Amino acid sequence: MSKSWLFPILLLLLGKGLKAQEEFVPPPSRLITKFSFRLLTGGIITFKAHLNNYKDTLNFILDTGSGGISLDSMTTLRLNLKTEMSDRTIRGIAGIRQVRFAYNNSLEIPGLKMDSLNFHINDYDVLTSSYGEKIDGIMGYAFLSRYIVKIDYDSSKIYVYSKGTFKYPRGGFLIKPILVNLPIVNTTVRDAKEMLHRYYFDTGAGMCLLLSSDFVNDSLFVNTKKRWYATQAEGLGGKASMKQGVVKQVRIGPYKFKNVPTFIFEDEFNVTSYPYLGGLIGNDLLRRFNVILNYDRRDIYLMPNSHFHDPFDYSYTGLGMYVIDGEIRIVDVMPESPAMEAGFKPGDIVLAVENNFTSNIQAYKALLQTPGGKLKVLVLREDGPVLLTLKVKSIMN
């Protein structure tokens, strides 16, 4: 008896374990351009770009925590850009507001021009005053979603690739974030106990870790017996009051960091959509990796870099310095802080820190990051110059 009828049945059964040998593969990504960036206090990334046909360069922050692309309101006025009020609102740690848009503009960085960009308009005066240089805008999802972007902190360069197949270098770790407009990653934080939760992956935040007080109070994983210090931070809408301290460990993928400086804030405007998110991971932690952002594949690839073992900033002064009308002024003095003990007053004009008379707020902030140090600060008041001695505290104590 012929057994030819078995052949198609065998093929059918064997076919359950077979896969098609033909598969669509996108073309390889290619390097489009690379350009330099600078790091400001806290690890904030800034770079230069041209808007439309204006000859002067503008200063942008690269921010994975931005769901679009934006311009400073004063920059918009100076360039006489046409704007329209929208029905959209944006939220930040210090405010929520309805926004205007400047539609259909172009932006050019060396080797790359992007068209059809819709900038939302925001007030970045607080950021400009804090960093001591003009912040003209923030570049986020509208840029990052168009390309594969590598941030190389070793060379201080950003590499931009076209979308396509991309081979990640060896020695790193691939994260698969939740990604709509903003990347969200699972991260383990340990203090009084260990908690795995979701956090924004935020290169535009000049800190290591930010936690919402609702999350901290409900989870009970932070050791409340430790001392937390009163401070402030800058964000959308202005300044927000926070507490500053340390958690025992933060783990991103296989990478562990001990004694991580941390801020806790009252999330009045529900930026973290509590209880969905616990807070955000900022760039003073993320800058310790060279990062590849491949939003098309929903990939974030981390490679430890030469800054991986950089010491954290544990300094605490309670001093709020800002550049106002070309002068570095003391605006905030936290109660019971080293700044108050040293005799600082709001309105003091900072002339020098130690022997540095450059009036460079970035340099002065760097000098203040010396826990345990005693610094001479020369300030100017109505009745003349005054020399104050500031003892910088450590939040590790």
Side-chain angles (χ1 to χ4, degrees), residues 79-249:
L79 299 180
N80 198 28
L81 286 179
K82 179 183 176 181
T83 64
E84 298 176 26
M85 181 57 74
S86 74
D87 59 357
R88 296 178 62 184
T89 58
I90 55 174
R91 288 182 296 174
I93 62 172
I96 182 170
R97 62 181 60 176
Q98 192 173 359
V99 293
R100 302 184 70 87
F101 272 81
Y103 293 103
N104 200 28
N105 291 277
S106 65
L107 196 70
E108 187 172 357
I109 53 181
L112 176 63
K113 184 174 182 179
M114 294 169 284
D115 295 310
S116 305
L117 293 173
N118 299 326
F119 292 86
H120 68 261
I121 311 304
N122 205 352
D123 182 0
Y124 295 131
D125 183 58
V126 170
L127 295 180
T128 293
S129 297
S130 177
Y131 295 124
E133 57 183 69
K134 186 75 176 79
I135 302 300
D136 293 296
I138 292 178
M139 188 180 289
Y141 183 81
F143 165 63
L144 297 171
S145 61
R146 296 185 179 201
Y147 308 98
I148 299 172
V149 178
K150 177 183 177 183
I151 309 170
D152 190 321
Y153 295 92
D154 291 320
S155 63
S156 296
K157 291 188 183 298
I158 294 172
Y159 295 78
V160 182
Y161 299 85
S162 63
K163 292 180 181 179
T165 56
F166 189 91
K167 185 177 180 181
Y168 298 114
R170 296 178 61 185
F173 184 78
L174 181 64
I175 294 176
K176 301 295 285 188
I178 302 166
L179 180 61
V180 180
N181 287 346
L182 307 179
I184 295 168
V185 296
N186 288 312
T187 301
T188 301
V189 180
R190 180 168 62 86
D191 199 52
K193 63 179 181 179
E194 190 169 275
M195 284 285 295
L196 174 65
H197 206 62
R198 295 172 294 272
Y199 298 85
Y200 284 128
F201 184 100
D202 193 350
T203 62
M207 58 185 66
C208 290
L209 182 67
L210 177 67
L211 304 174
S212 80
S213 59
D214 290 332
F215 172 60
V216 168
N217 293 335
D218 280 0
S219 63
L220 300 176
F221 85 102
V222 171
N223 185 353
T224 55
K225 294 182 180 179
K226 293 187 298 187
R227 182 170 179 183
W228 290 79
Y229 298 87
T231 188
Q232 288 184 328
E234 298 78 31
L236 173 63
K239 293 177 288 186
S241 297
M242 299 189 179
K243 294 188 293 185
Q244 182 180 1
V246 175
V247 296
K248 285 184 179 178
Q249 181 177 282

Side-chain angles (χ1 to χ4, degrees), residues 265-277:
F265 79 118
E266 297 285 344
D267 193 1
E268 180 182 354
F269 301 99
N270 200 25
V271 175
T272 60
S273 301
Y274 179 79
Y276 183 61
L277 300 177

Side-chain angles (χ1 to χ4, degrees), residues 52-64:
N52 299 336
N53 295 317
Y54 299 105
K55 64 178 182 178
D56 294 335
T57 57
L58 302 182
N59 204 28
F60 282 83
I61 291 174
L62 183 66
D63 185 4
T64 58

